[in-house]
Amino acid sequence: MRELPPRHGRDTGQIIKAAAGGELGALLVGGVEVADLPDPARAVQALEAVPFLVSLEQRPSEVTDRADVVLPVSAVVEKSGTFLNWEGRARPFEAAVKPDQMVRRHVQPDGRVLHMLADHMDTPIALPDVRAARRELDRLGGWEAAPVTALPTPTGQGGAPLPRPAAGQAVLAGHRLLLDQGRLQEGDEALAGTRHAPLARLLAATAAEAGVRDGQLLQVRGPAGTVTLPLAVTEMPDRVVWLPLNSTGGGAQRDLGPRTGELVTIGAPAQVAPRLGTEVTG
């Protein structure tokens, strides 16, 4: 490309909304699971609505199941690249497994696949390898902005007012654990055996209000179903419930219905399951 687009592009949520609404003719998804996205149910609608879907992947997934074309890409240990950490710092790495050490035919890294697709579409990005991509990032430099002088007013999903949970309600919070139901962990029994048991977390005052104690089962209810997990009382904000987002069932947000930042109902299960663990009902 001769120059960067002058206007802001769509973020992930806007891309999903546009695809689900029929505004996009094609969608390219690279190494993203439905459970990674902020609204999994809406993401499935987008995947089913878009006329042409291309997936860059290593394992079968809900995306590849719906894709018109699946292009295999190399795993992270087979390629060089750069991680961007939560501070925005670039952390380059080199391939750990060389082509002559592989037991399968070498496949292209995803950056190379994107370069080839762009060439085919007559919109070249001129990034044939990781070295070119790193030079481009260095040329662009870091992002500079004026210092923040005042914090913005907190808002909920889509700029809506923050929810106000009543007694027996809580704001859903959570994130994915490093070891969970992710696709790249499938088939590795030893790795799966090191996962932490999934727990729900509440402040002690919120737990008492909901009628549950530390170590007991907590039931979190939403319009789509329920998730039941052992409770770990934790220092955290009042009337907020934390759940691991992809460690049970089809993922907490999909099983419950609400997204993080929205309201759910919490309390003791009406009937405790015979064994301690996870119960997901629709």
Side-chain angles (χ1 to χ4, degrees):
M1 296 178 64
R2 294 183 179 179
E3 60 183 18
L4 292 173
R7 298 191 303 171
H8 293 294
R10 295 183 173 102
D11 62 22
T12 302
Q14 291 167 336
I15 292 172
I16 292 172
K17 180 180 178 181
E23 298 178 36
L24 303 182
L27 197 59
L28 173 66
V29 181
V32 175
E33 296 180 45
V34 168
D36 293 327
L37 299 167
D39 189 345
R42 188 66 164 166
V44 170
Q45 293 176 6
L47 295 176
E48 293 176 344
V50 72
F52 193 77
L53 179 62
V54 179
S55 174
L56 310 186
E57 256 301 350
Q58 300 167 25
R59 299 282 184 92
S61 71
E62 289 182 88
V63 180
T64 62
D65 287 346
R66 294 170 171 84
D68 298 282
V69 177
V70 179
L71 300 174
V73 292
S74 53
V76 65
V77 296
E78 300 170 342
K79 62 189 175 185
S80 302
T82 301
F83 289 116
L84 197 66
N85 70 12
W86 66 274
E87 294 179 308
R89 300 177 186 273
R91 291 291 181 260
F93 61 90
E94 301 304 321
V97 179
K98 308 302 181 184
D100 59 351
Q101 298 172 313
M102 297 180 189
V103 296
R104 63 171 186 168
R105 184 176 60 84
H106 177 60
V107 296
Q108 299 288 351
D110 37 8
R112 176 66 179 171
V113 173
L114 292 173
H115 169 86
M116 296 166 67
L117 289 174
D119 279 353
H120 186 71
M121 296 171 65
D122 294 325
T123 311
I125 57 176
L127 299 174
D129 53 40
V130 69
R131 293 182 296 275
R134 286 173 176 167
R135 287 195 299 269
E136 184 75 1
L137 289 172
D138 290 341
R139 187 179 69 82
L140 289 172
W143 179 66
E144 296 181 1
V148 176
T149 57
L151 294 175
T153 301
T155 58
Q157 293 282 358
L162 285 174
R164 297 183 179 275
Q169 293 183 319
V171 176
L172 178 63
H175 60 261
R176 290 189 61 162
L177 300 180
L178 185 61
L179 296 178
D180 60 8
Q181 298 179 145
R183 289 290 177 181
L184 291 184
Q185 298 164 46
E186 288 183 355
D188 194 327
E189 300 289 339
L191 184 61
T194 66
R195 295 172 183 162
H196 291 291
L199 298 170
R201 298 183 183 274
L202 289 176
L203 183 71
T206 308
E209 185 179 67
V212 289
R213 297 193 302 272
D214 187 71
Q216 291 184 330
L217 291 178
L218 174 74
Q219 187 175 81
V220 182
R221 296 184 290 274
T226 66
V227 174
T228 304
L229 288 171
L231 172 65
V233 169
T234 306
E235 287 297 321
M236 56 188 295
D238 195 13
R239 291 184 176 173
V240 172
V241 59
W242 183 94
L243 296 176
L245 294 186
N246 194 35
S247 296
T248 60
Q253 295 181 104
R254 180 180 293 184
D255 292 337
L256 294 170
R259 295 178 289 170
T260 53
E262 298 178 343
L263 291 180
V264 292
T265 303
I266 58 173
Q271 184 177 358
V272 177
R275 65 178 179 83
L276 192 65
T278 303
E279 175 188 338
V280 179
T281 60

